[in-house]
Amino acid sequence: TKIFRSLDKTDGTNVLGLIAFCAVFGVVLGKMGQEANIMLQFFSNLNEVTMRIVLGVMWYSPIGIGSLIIGKILEIENLALVARMLGMYMLTVMLGLIVHGCFVLPALYFVVTRKNPLWFYGGMLQAWITALGTASSAATLPITFRCL
């Protein structure tokens, strides 16, 4: 059997070509010096306009998203039943997390290290409180390394 390679044209945006063009365009603009100031000012203003549009969309999107969610909630025929099912789901997830965090992980820690997991949890308390207060894993990471 013969295997032929064919190059088919596909519809869509040529992202690689766009990136290559922008890179070359930027390099040439940079080498033009003062002659390119008009183009640089144009793109700077275009960037500012785009940022203001994005800011406006970010401010108004919670209203649209809230309207979509409220519309879906109003379509529910038996809201009490759905709320009860959602509550049971949340309870199931919370119980699973408690069992995993309070029994499975400490048992695994004890089996692997032969050390008391409560001492480990006590040492990590500062990192847990920081993670809870900041809601940021990046801010908690240095404290976690210090606690270990």
Side-chain angles (χ1 to χ4, degrees), residues 33-99:
Q34 293 296 328
E35 297 172 339
N37 278 345
I38 295 173
M39 289 297 289
L40 292 174
Q41 188 176 9
F42 168 76
F43 284 117
S44 178
N45 289 337
L46 181 66
N47 181 46
E48 184 64 30
V49 168
T50 304
M51 287 298 125
R52 288 186 185 188
I53 291 171
V54 168
L55 184 65
V57 169
M58 286 172 52
W59 274 102
Y60 288 114
S61 63
I63 296 169
I65 293 169
S67 299
L68 289 172
I69 292 172
I70 289 172
K72 288 297 178 184
I73 289 173
L74 292 176
E75 289 178 2
I76 297 173
E77 292 180 16
N78 190 351
L79 189 58
L81 176 66
V82 173
R84 188 171 34 248
M85 289 174 20
L86 184 60
M88 288 302 293
Y89 173 73
M90 288 172 29
L91 181 67
T92 303
V93 169
M94 292 303 292
L95 284 175
L97 289 172
I98 289 171
V99 167

Side-chain angles (χ1 to χ4, degrees), residues 2-46:
K2 293 183 180 180
I3 298 175
F4 291 100
R5 296 177 81 181
S6 65
L7 296 174
D8 294 331
K9 182 180 180 328
T10 58
D11 293 332
T13 305
N14 183 2
V15 177
L16 184 60
L18 187 62
I19 292 172
F21 171 78
C22 290
V24 170
F25 191 77
V27 168
V28 171
L29 272 180
K31 290 188 178 199
M32 287 179 64
Q34 293 296 328
E35 297 172 339
N37 278 345
I38 295 173
M39 289 297 289
L40 292 174
Q41 188 176 9
F42 168 76
F43 284 117
S44 178
N45 289 337
L46 181 66

